[in-house]
Amino acid sequence: MAEAIVSAILEQMTAITIDKAIEAWSLVQGSEKEVKRLETYFKALRLELEDAEEKEYEDKRVKHWLDKFRDVSYDMEDVLDEWETAVQQLQTDPSGSASVRKWKVCPFVSCFSSGSQVVRRYNIATKIKEIKEEVDEIVRDKVRFELIKRKIKQPRRPETTSFVDVSELIGRDAMKEEIISILLCDDKCRNVPTITLVGMGGIGKTALAQLIYNDHRIQTHFSKTIWVCASDPFDQTQIASAILGDLDPDSLISLKKTTLQSALSKISEKLTTEKFLFVFDDVWTERDQDWEPLKVAFKYGMPGSCILVTTRKESVARRMKSPHVVPLQLLSEEMCWLILSQKAFSGRSQASREILEDIGREIANKCQGLPLAAKTIGGLLQDKQGREEWQNVLNNVIWKSSFAHEIFSPLLLSYYDLPSPVRQCLSYCAIFPNSFTIYKDELVQCWMAQGYLNSDDNGRRELIGEDYFKYLATRSFFQDFEKDTSGSIISCKMHDMVHEFVQFLTEHRFVTEEVPRNSTLDISSKRVRHLRLVIQSWDSSPLSICRIEKLRSLVVVSDDETSGDVLQDLLSRSKLLRFLEFDSLHLRPEQVADGMKNLIHLRYLSLISCSGLENLPESVCELINLQSLNLRDCWDLRKLAVGMGKLINLRYLCIKECPLLSYYPKGIRHLTSLTRLSGIKVRVDQSDGNEFRIGDLENLDLLGGNLCVELIGDELNWAEANRAKLHNKIHLKRTDIWICSLNIKKEEVLKALNPPSTLLVELFDYQKWLDFDCARFTRKMMQEKKTEMKIIEKTRIALCVQKAALQFIAECSSGSRKSTSD
């Protein structure tokens, strides 16, 4: 992850030294040598950082060194960003319009020749010098302690075998039977069919494969069964030799020098008389060329031969063209308990089990369906004697526990298999709470705000983010996907264990703190860069929050009345923020306005589900670096800022579910960097020229994904609609158009807009939909009313029956007593 940070800094440096005018260096005059030396250092260190990252969880000194390096890298990034922002502010026309943005012709030195600009130039130069001294020390430490060269035991992929006590494998019987039935069905096709078991590390793929492999029906049905551990690196010759050694040991010995060619020749010869089952466990490679020569040799096997593969990557199944892909599901809580108790109670008495079972079941629930976690924690509990020790394990957060590394070792293997830029994208998910619904587009914008999506082509950054998301999704880091009608992912969640894993990776850098009533917060002992604050009451002002000056992300969640003074204090000391989110706060426009003054680094502003915010303050339009603005679910919002056109770097504007929003400024047409626009009302008639009209989409040709627009007006201006030039929006996948007037016909809109045949356009009559929805709602309410009346009637009858029964019992009892007395 640190390697990716350095790459971002180097890209920034290159942009400064090459793309900008040479005279712009006057801002840091006297610091050119320091900056060049820093660039050299960062380039040299980048080559060694990935190796260092893989050692940081094994050696505390490496971790400490990396933490220092990350800190100074962040500081360098902040200084460079401050420099670029200063240049951009000076070189943008005072009108703030993106359409008239231009470079100044006047000498750059003169732009900074007076007052505050001289001070600013001096401050930036001083900061660069200080950072250079810190980097010098970091380089000396690396050499002094030989941190990177030292041999450290690396997390490795353990070699698996087919040997296992099947009596200890629990919870996969149904899936085992399903796969065995496929294997026993003799398929006469020429190609050897492949069954692929896919799932995250620790979910039990290998255990299920062992169950299947050792089943007596499998051993009887196939004349040859061979188990191959195919972990990374994928060595074709070694794998072919292992298969040949099992098929015919003498043939392997007879080969003086085993080459891939000689081994495969012998294999293809031997397989002509064998109906085989090959199990390739723990496959990581996705390269077609790794599998191709093996698959050709396997075709010589007898009909009915099969291959069973286990992998963490869906892409492996696609590469192998598996007709049967079996995604492994999480185990039930009961199954996790059985696995855990099998280990934990080994050698214990029944009495001990009865004393500890209630706590043990709660601990099993923490395993979240992962059998490896249940087995590992069960082994840990073997040495814990009484309830108090078991209670301590239960109360421990797994990622903070002493056994965290052992539980997370399978996930660490998957993590280190990721490219460095994708690693930091995964780590950033620690900012979200457990079981949180993560919206894909918003996540990509978060990554972009932090500078994780580097590309020479500025327009490709969202596409890179989508690729990274898919990369993580296919490796089981995300789950519970919600998709749109076209099959594209809208949102997802993280498995609880994966979420704890990313918290383990980012301890002290990503922090979530709940601030209860009548308390304060001190995080000065941590290296916090990303903070989520959950504030129960603003009466208990968290004024003692220390060390927040270097925050890069701040999320504030609260449903209480917001204190303007506390908010102002919080933002005034968090000047380096890239990402700021207020979630469910009650905000007044002036509170937002006051907090925006010093946030020159801000890339992403998210005001989601905030009440009380009736208009977007004009001060937001001064955030020159802002790339993403999210106003989703702001139900009180009525008006966007008039100066929206100043946000020349804005790429993402989300205004979905803002039902009262009625004013969209015409300046939006200047936001030519927009790649996503979610939920907007556009006028289609000849109305006031100060409002956004459908023709103002004309120059927004970078728009991609799904565009949803609502047409306002009682008549359609054909020339205005045609001016939208939908045929130039080549990145759009789908456009949903809602027609609000009964006077405007769908056919007219479609003809006027003239979209390309490749663009999916859906048209909706809003009024008809509303009438239908109201009618449907009325029918539903009537049905619920009828159901309610039936329940009331049944309850009344039941009460009457009950009353009659009680009366009958009372009478019988009275008669019995009378008879007795007689």
Side-chain angles (χ1 to χ4, degrees), residues 42 91 555 814:
F42 278 119
Q91 294 171 334
V555 179
S814 175

Side-chain angles (χ1 to χ4, degrees), residues 381-394:
L381 291 171
Q382 279 183 329
D383 300 325
K384 309 293 182 185
Q385 299 305 316
R387 283 184 67 88
E388 185 177 353
E389 289 182 276
W390 279 49
Q391 190 69 45
N392 287 337
V393 173
L394 175 62

